Structures are given as C-alpha cells and as structure tokens.
Amino acid sequence: MRYLTIALPKGRLLEPILKIFAEAGVTAEGVSEDSRCLVFTREELGIRFVLAKPADIPTYVEYGAADLGVVGKDVLLEAGKDLPELLDLGVGGCRIVAAVPAGSGVTDVTQLETGSRIATKFPRIARSYFNQRGLRVEIVKLNGSIELAPGVGLAEAIVDLVDTGRTLRENGLVAVNNIAYVTTRLVVNRSSYKEEHERIAGIVGRLRAVSPVSQAARQPAATPASVAQAASMGPSQVTRLAPAAPAAQGAPVTPVSQMAQKAVGANA
Ligand code: PRP
C-alpha cells in the first residue's frame, strides 16, 4: 500500500486544520509550524503529511506530488487550477472585498474612474471581477500590506481579504463590494481520486463528520462523477458563482467565527 500524501498549509490556518484532522482520527503527529522538518509520516495510517506554503499547495496537488491538499478558496481561485474540491473544512472563513478610502464618496466599484489602479495580492481574482463588470482598471500586484496602497497614492482601491475588518478600519478604508466568501477546502488530484477512491473517501467521511460545516445535506458525498463535474468547471465559472453583492459603506465586517455557515453558500 502506498502512502497517501496530504499537503497542509503553513501559517495561521495550520492549527485549526490540525485540530479537525485530529478530531477525525487522522492525527498529524509532530506536524507543527515551528518544525524545520516538512515531511511527517504516519506509518500506521499509511499517510504522509507535507507542509507547504499555501500558494504552492494547488501545484503539489495538480502534479500529484500530493494526493490531497488543504487550502483556502482564495488561493484556489487565484491559482486558477483545475482541482476538484471534496470538502469545505469551514475554517479560515473571510471575505475578499473591494475597498476604497473612507470619505472618497465611492460606494461601488462601478463609480471608480476608468484607469483607476487597484492594488491586490489576487490579480487574477481582481482582473476577473473588474472584467466581468466591463470596468477598465489597472491591476497592481503587491505581496502584502495591501491596505497601505491607497493612503500613499499607489492605488484608488484595493482587493483583499477581510476577516475582522480591523486592518481596513485602521487604514481608513471601507469595503464597498463583496467579491467572494472564502473558507478552507480539501482538494484532490484527479488521478489519485480514481486510483485511491476508497481510502480518500474514508478520510473525507471522517473529516466531514467533524467539520464545522459538516451538515450532510449541504455537502453531499463526493463521487468520481461529481468530482469529474467539478473538475470541468473552470476557475472563471467558480468566480462567477461567488456572491458579489455590494457591501454597505462602512458596514461592520463579520468575524471569522460567524462566517462558516455563510461561506457554505459560496461553495456552489
Ligand atoms: C490579511 C489580509 C488583510 C488582513 C485582514 O493580511 O490581507 O490585510 O489579514 O484581517 P483583518 O480584517 O482581521 O484585519 P495578512 O495578515 O495575511 O498579511 P499581509 O497583509 O501581509 O498579506
């Protein structure tokens, strides 16, 4: 029996993800953010855990270097990979929003001037969102601290993740449009899913039973057929399916703890 390899993301989501895996009886012993070792083998489970940068996890799974991967929907949308999602683990819930300086008078991105600059670490998601609305803007790719950009004249608006809303507030910004709700997903390599369907389905079943969004009615068990269907859905379609209702100017942002149920709706 070969090892099933599961790629887990380094960073702040690692701990809640490990907790779900432990509750599901798929304990990733020894895996820790502080460890310098990146591969952890559980002989008795036939599972190997690997720790990777979140943005790289879709690549490991796409190439089959990992059979399964745990990764945020934001990363999946941005990566634009054709990876079937098996489960919403319901952690890391937050929103991707468009935000502008408070007091700018802009209450919707359609009011931005043509050629406005939009700073983001999600250029694919941002471009797709603005293109779909026929808005001609310049997307400026940054790697972090996105909320800094409008205040120093780099951009008129940003597209970024919002969790508690504190970073927006403290930098004088308000969310004007919701682009997507994101949570953490379990994704699979398509060949692995065919070849190791029984073992993978077993792990998915255990995780589903303990996942915060485990209501069976909302998450029907994935089958090879449904996975094939999901796989045929391109990233642009997924983006189109994400909710895009305007956010009320200065509206309070829902914290992570209250996002999990809402986020299920984005898992269409
Ligand atoms: C993320 C995100 C926002 C912030 C949102 O940044 O990009 O900046 O968290 O959280 P809040 O709504 O609770 O304030 P992260 O901490 O990952 O750092 P980065 O800006 O360097 O990407």
Side-chain angles (χ1 to χ4, degrees), residues 101-118:
S104 65
V106 171
T107 56
D108 189 282
V109 290
T110 53
Q111 297 162 0
L112 290 168
E113 285 178 22
T114 297
S116 290
R117 290 196 295 257
I118 315 295

Side-chain angles (χ1 to χ4, degrees), residues 12 94 121-122 143-147 158-169 253 256:
R12 62 180 141 189
C94 55
K121 57 188 171 193
F122 302 112
N143 294 299
S145 301
I146 311 300
E147 294 85 351
I158 65 167
V159 167
D160 198 18
L161 288 174
V162 176
D163 178 6
T164 63
R166 188 174 159 197
T167 316
L168 283 185
R169 262 194 316 278
V253 174
V256 164

Side-chain angles (χ1 to χ4, degrees), residues 167-185:
T167 316
L168 283 185
R169 262 194 316 278
E170 295 194 0
N171 289 282
L173 301 172
V174 288
V176 288
N177 296 85
N178 286 323
I179 295 177
Y181 290 108
V182 303
T183 45
T184 302
R185 311 300 167 94

Side-chain angles (χ1 to χ4, degrees), residues 45-68:
L45 297 177
I47 289 175
R48 187 169 60 176
F49 292 96
V50 297
L51 274 185
K53 284 270 188 197
D56 293 333
I57 286 186
T59 304
Y60 282 95
V61 176
E62 181 186 34
Y63 283 90
D67 301 291
L68 293 164

